[in-house]
């Protein structure tokens, strides 16, 4: 059965690749809309990138709505041009979208779409959780309309922001993450342990070119800067973080994990944004998040390359 989903994102190289994966699975996913949140680059740029990605893939019928441009409490958005490039889509040369975003605010779009859709909807979050927190605070009744939230963010152990404690999406808006993780939604966390199984090595990137279509070439061009940044973090190639979240929605059997209690550190200057995962179930609080920690790398790349070969 086709799953209705809303994708909240901050494209972002890996967000864009995640969108290409989702777009290619028309029989499995009904994308009701894309909402954007300031993250990898500022809000106007991530919104332009979401529109451009749709345009490139002939998916201009999908509504795109801009959401929040800054975190709930923190006043500064920590962007990642050093990883995703100035535009946010690496070195890719993109034709500009012919449309702008919808007039409605992304948060209101999420609320209205959840209420309007006859089925429960899966939320896929690929950036800071600001829009989802705002939606849950504005209208807590949307909880009953959500099938599941799958978010890319957090880590059981090491982060990927300066200081090494927090993962980028949660670091950017820890207060939003706190609201969302304590909202009662059925939630799955795709954190950095899991996404480390999605390292696109140079060899695999070269294989993209053999697919011989403009989208695969665009992905090749996009990942170069991220590849360099990820080598610097000791990885073997560009880590396709956000793609794992869409892959989970399509094929959860590729993943391992367990239900854990997850808290978010909001205050400490040393560890702000850290997800405190009770992996061994030692604290007294009940588990509220399915935390993944492993993924089948071969199955993941087969899924992705199969998707990219359809363009
Ligand atoms: C996350 O941070 C962003 O830079 C990526 O798009 C991904 O969502 C990984 O920590
Ligand atoms: Ca992202």
């Amino acid at each position: 059965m086709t799953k209705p989903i809303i994708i909240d994102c901050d494209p972002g190289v890996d967000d864009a690749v995640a969108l290409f994966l989702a777009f290619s699975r028309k029989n499995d996913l009904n994308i009701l809309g894309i909402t954007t949140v300031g993250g990898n680059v500022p809000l106007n740029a991530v919104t332009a990138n979401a529109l451009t990605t749709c345009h490139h893939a002939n998916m201009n019928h999908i509504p795109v709505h801009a959401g929040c441009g800054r975190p709930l409490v923190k006043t500064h958005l920590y962007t990642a041009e050093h990883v995703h490039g100035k535009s946010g889509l690496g070195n890719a040369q993109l034709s500009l979208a012919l449309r702008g975003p919808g007039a409605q605010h992304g948060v209101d779009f999420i609320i209205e779409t959840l209420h309007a859709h006859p089925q429960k909807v899966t939320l896929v979050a690929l950036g800071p959780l600001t829009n989802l927190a705002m939606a849950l605070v504005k209208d807590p009744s949307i909880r009953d309309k959500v099938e599941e939230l799958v978010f890319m963010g957090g880590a059981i152990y090491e982060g990927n922001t300066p200081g090494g404690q927090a993962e980028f999406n949660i670091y950017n808006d820890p207060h939003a993450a706190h609201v969302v993780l304590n909202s009662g939604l059925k939630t799955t966390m795709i954190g950095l342990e899991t996404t480390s199984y999605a390292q696109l090595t140079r060899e695999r990137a070269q294989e993209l070119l053999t697919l011989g279509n403009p989208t695969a070439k665009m992905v090749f061009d996009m990942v170069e800067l991220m590849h360099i940044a990820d080598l610097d973090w000791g990885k073997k190639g560009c880590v396709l973080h956000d793609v794992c979240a869409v892959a989970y929605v399509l094929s959860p059997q590729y993943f391992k994990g367990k239900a854990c209690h997850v808290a978010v550190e909001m205050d400490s200057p040393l560890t702000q944004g850290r997800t405190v995962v009770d992996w061994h179930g030692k604290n007294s609080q009940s588990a509220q998040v399915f935390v993944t920690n492993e993924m089948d790398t071969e199955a993941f790349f087969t899924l992705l390359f199969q998707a990219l070969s359809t363009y």
Side-chain angles (χ1 to χ4, degrees):
M1 206 173 72
T2 314
K3 247 183 214 180
I5 67 169
I6 296 173
I7 303 178
D8 186 67
C9 58
D10 62 335
V13 170
D14 55 329
D15 302 75
V17 184
L19 289 175
F20 285 142
L21 171 58
F23 292 162
S24 76
R25 298 289 295 259
K26 297 180 184 65
N27 293 335
D28 303 295
L29 303 177
N30 174 16
I31 306 172
L32 304 177
I34 297 170
T35 51
T36 57
V37 59
N40 286 316
V41 284
L43 184 65
N44 57 353
V46 295
T47 306
N49 292 343
L51 289 161
T52 297
T53 307
C54 288
H55 181 59
H56 179 92
N58 284 324
M59 300 299 269
N60 282 327
H61 61 281
I62 298 179
V64 173
H65 290 264
C68 299
R70 54 153 280 192
L72 296 185
V73 177
K74 288 174 83 164
T75 50
H76 175 71
L77 183 70
Y78 167 67
T79 54
E81 286 85 355
H82 56 293
V83 178
H84 297 265
K86 192 167 183 321
S87 74
L89 295 182
N91 295 333
Q93 301 295 322
L94 299 162
S95 46
L96 290 180
L98 302 173
R99 60 173 176 150
Q104 192 177 31
H105 192 279
V107 170
D108 295 321
F109 174 82
I110 292 170
I111 293 170
E112 281 191 20
T113 305
L114 289 174
H115 282 303
H117 200 75
Q119 286 163 264
K120 286 190 175 191
V121 174
T122 296
L123 300 176
V124 183
L126 310 178
L129 291 166
T130 319
N131 289 335
L132 301 189
M134 288 282 283
L136 284 158
V137 169
K138 187 170 183 189
D139 182 354
S141 75
I142 61 171
R143 273 185 313 196
D144 301 335
K145 307 293 297 180
V146 176
E147 178 68 32
E148 182 182 14
L149 162 66
V150 178
F151 77 97
M152 190 283 126
I156 304 168
Y157 301 108
E158 278 179 33
N160 61 354
T161 47
Q165 297 301 308
E167 181 280 330
F168 180 87
N169 291 334
I170 309 298
Y171 177 78
N172 253 318
D173 200 340
H175 303 88
H178 173 80
V179 169
V180 171
L181 298 189
N182 291 293
S183 66
L185 291 183
K186 179 183 176 200
T187 300
T188 294
M189 170 171 142
I190 309 291
L192 294 178
E193 288 76 17
T194 305
T195 67
S196 71
Y197 287 80
Q199 299 178 39
L200 185 78
T201 58
R202 275 263 193 268
E203 294 70 37
R204 281 198 204 270
Q206 285 295 334
E207 276 176 46
L208 283 170
L209 296 178
T210 67
L211 295 179
N213 70 61
T215 303
K217 169 74 168 68
M218 178 174 154
V219 173
F220 180 84
D221 292 339
M222 283 198 299
V223 296
E224 178 59 19
L225 284 178
M226 214 170 152
H227 180 90
I228 295 165
D230 282 335
L231 291 187
D232 202 41
W233 277 90
K235 304 292 180 199
K236 297 194 194 84
C238 170
V239 186
L240 295 173
H241 304 281
D242 293 338
V243 188
C244 300
V246 173
Y248 180 84
V249 174
L250 292 165
S251 299
Q253 71 277 15
Y254 296 168
F255 294 76
K256 286 188 183 156
K258 60 179 169 179
C260 301
H261 181 261
V262 182
V264 181
E265 174 55 52
M266 287 178 283
D267 299 320
S268 158
L270 280 178
T271 58
Q272 189 185 49
R274 189 176 174 110
T275 42
V276 181
V277 177
D278 183 22
W279 185 252
H280 296 288
K282 297 295 184 197
N283 78 26
S284 55
Q285 305 192 69
S286 45
Q288 90 282 35
V289 177
F290 183 73
V291 178
T292 63
N293 68 329
E294 282 183 37
M295 183 185 73
D296 181 336
T297 299
E298 288 308 314
F300 169 80
F301 279 110
T302 301
L303 179 92
L304 178 60
F305 275 65
Q306 212 285 323
L308 293 175
S309 72
T310 63
Y311 282 91

